[in-house]
Amino acid sequence: MSRFVYILCILLLTTSCIKVSSSESNSENAIHFGTQSSVGSRAATLIGSASSEAFRAEPFSVYGDWIRANGDRKEVFHDVKVSYTTDDSAPTGWIYDPIQHWQMDGSYEFRAYWPASSVVLGTATARTLALEYNMLQCNDDMMVAYVGCPTKNNGKPVELNFHHTLSAVAVKFQAPGAECEYRLKHLFFTSLNYIGALPYDLTEAKPDVTDRWVYGARSYVNPDDIMASERLREWSSSQGQIIPESADDYPEQFDLFLPQPLVVAQGTAQPSITFTLDVKWATTDTITMTVALPTKDSAGEDMVWRAGRKYIYVITVQPDKFDVQVRTTEWDEVDASVGDLVF
């Protein structure tokens, strides 16, 4: 009996050792994800965020295909949520469950979007995603990433470089040499496309997703039905915001918009900013103005709001007119004056 127990113990120990060895092998062969953050890569900078914490606070979602040597595809990731953790056991800080493992041969394609709460339309795959954005319902950033790599990725995590799919727009006021006090009380945009779908199937390293938007989305509203009276990103204040002499002293607040051309067909209402000012002289007068957004850029080309760029409209208030200028920069450009940091 004792000999039987001894043999049984040996078998159990041997089986245990085999399992540990297999587990270690699977761990080394596991697919892990990371996020790129190099300054020149248009990495995931968030408007109003001073660090990567806002990005890491929300999971991103991944679609992934294994492509066999004969070209056949097999889906291995379907809308898998990947979350950030401070657990030291996570190789890159990003985790998902259950863990998938690399195949022995072939290649992979991964397509991801952030945040994972974004609305996905239709049948999404690693080849094509269709994401919806409705400016009337949300003011959140939305980004996409694509990467193709060989199996096992040379022993490295899959690095996802997220790109902005939206445009960031701010309005600033100035009143140089004003002899009276101006206060901004109310502001909103009109005559812009505010619902759209992004079919994301590009594979370039730095895709320009601007022209890929389908305005009006697929099931909500026809673009021709978008009303000029729709108020977008409406802001108001009972006290009002004092307009300084220089726009550099005016607070900078970005809102998110669909990328879109600002040149419209003849007979269609021009994209515009409408604002209300209190003008304090001997008395206080209230005036409301609608100013069309410029349709030409500094090079004389048709004006377009592009994905991953910031647009600052500076409105100069004068007693007899309002002058509008637009300043354009890359969203992820490091500029200490506006506090926009790349992680």
Side-chain angles (χ1 to χ4, degrees):
M1 183 70 178
S2 59
R3 182 180 179 183
F4 173 77
V5 172
Y6 175 77
I7 293 173
L8 180 60
C9 290
I10 293 297
L11 288 173
L12 288 173
L13 286 172
T14 303
T15 303
S16 176
C17 289
I18 291 173
K19 286 184 177 178
V20 170
S21 177
S22 174
S23 175
E24 289 175 352
S25 174
N26 285 342
S27 177
E28 294 173 359
N29 201 36
I31 300 175
H32 296 292
F33 295 100
T35 53
Q36 293 184 358
S37 58
S38 57
V39 171
S41 68
R42 287 175 58 193
T45 303
L46 305 180
I47 291 297
S49 172
S51 71
S52 62
E53 291 182 4
F55 178 74
R56 292 172 175 173
E58 296 284 345
F60 59 83
S61 192
V62 175
Y63 289 82
D65 284 355
W66 168 45
I67 307 168
R68 299 180 176 91
N70 64 4
D72 291 343
R73 285 177 175 263
K74 179 182 179 182
E75 186 177 72
V76 290
F77 287 85
H78 183 88
D79 210 12
V80 174
K81 305 298 187 291
V82 183
S83 304
Y84 189 79
T85 178
T86 56
D87 190 339
D88 293 337
S89 64
T92 64
W94 293 96
I95 59 172
Y96 63 94
D97 184 62
I99 292 292
Q100 299 290 331
H101 297 86
W102 296 107
Q103 298 293 330
M104 294 300 295
D105 56 14
S107 61
Y108 284 76
E109 284 189 355
F110 300 95
R111 204 172 296 271
Y113 65 93
W114 181 98
S117 58
S118 298
V119 177
V120 180
L121 298 175
T123 304
T125 69
R127 303 187 78 171
T128 301
L129 293 178
L131 306 176
E132 182 193 80
Y133 194 83
N134 186 333
M135 287 164 45
L136 295 178
Q137 297 176 356
C138 63
N139 189 30
D140 299 319
D141 201 354
M142 189 169 75
M143 291 178 281
V144 291
Y146 167 87
V147 65
C149 64
T151 188
K152 300 185 180 180
N153 199 33
N154 301 314
K156 298 179 180 179
V158 178
E159 294 289 348
L160 293 170
N161 183 8
F162 282 87
H163 300 267
H164 293 285
T165 64
L166 302 173
S167 304
V169 180
V171 181
K172 303 181 72 171
F173 287 81
Q174 63 182 12
E179 297 181 4
C180 54
E181 180 184 274
Y182 294 94
R183 283 181 179 266
L184 176 68
K185 302 294 290 292
H186 194 196
L187 181 147
F188 57 87
F189 291 81
T190 53
S191 305
L192 290 163
N193 294 312
Y194 61 85
I195 302 175
L198 172 69
Y200 181 57
D201 55 6
L202 302 179
T203 58
E204 289 84 352
K206 291 186 177 182
D208 180 1
V209 297
T210 303
D211 298 329
R212 303 291 297 173
W213 283 93
V214 180
Y215 302 115
R218 298 179 179 180
S219 60
Y220 281 79
V221 62
N222 186 302
D224 295 335
D225 295 333
I226 294 177
M227 299 176 63
S229 61
E230 198 70 65
R231 298 184 176 190
L232 302 176
R233 301 296 185 248
E234 190 166 5
W235 173 92
S236 62
S237 169
S238 59
Q239 298 298 319
Q241 174 67 50
I242 294 180
I243 297 178
E245 183 171 342
S246 170
D248 293 338
D249 298 321
Y250 193 88
E252 194 168 84
Q253 178 64 48
F254 285 96
D255 283 311
L256 301 174
F257 286 81
L258 290 182
Q260 58 190 287
L262 298 184
V263 177
V264 297
Q266 187 174 2
T268 302
Q270 178 70 37
S272 304
I273 305 172
T274 297
F275 54 89
T276 299
L277 300 176
D278 275 355
V279 184
K280 185 176 181 180
W281 191 265
T283 60
T284 298
D285 297 320
T286 300
I287 60 173
T288 297
M289 293 290 299
T290 296
V291 177
L293 299 177
T295 57
K296 298 291 183 181
D297 61 19
S298 58
E301 301 293 330
D302 286 350
M303 189 69 189
V304 177
W305 284 350
R306 299 191 178 278
R309 293 187 68 82
K310 297 190 298 187
Y311 299 88
I312 302 175
Y313 287 86
V314 177
I315 299 179
T316 301
V317 179
Q318 300 176 3
D320 57 343
K321 65 178 181 178
F322 297 92
D323 178 59
V324 182
Q325 295 180 327
V326 59
R327 302 172 182 173
T328 305
T329 62
E330 289 290 336
W331 193 327
D332 289 325
E333 183 178 36
V334 178
D335 184 348
S337 67
V338 297
D340 191 20
L341 305 178
V342 175
F343 72 85

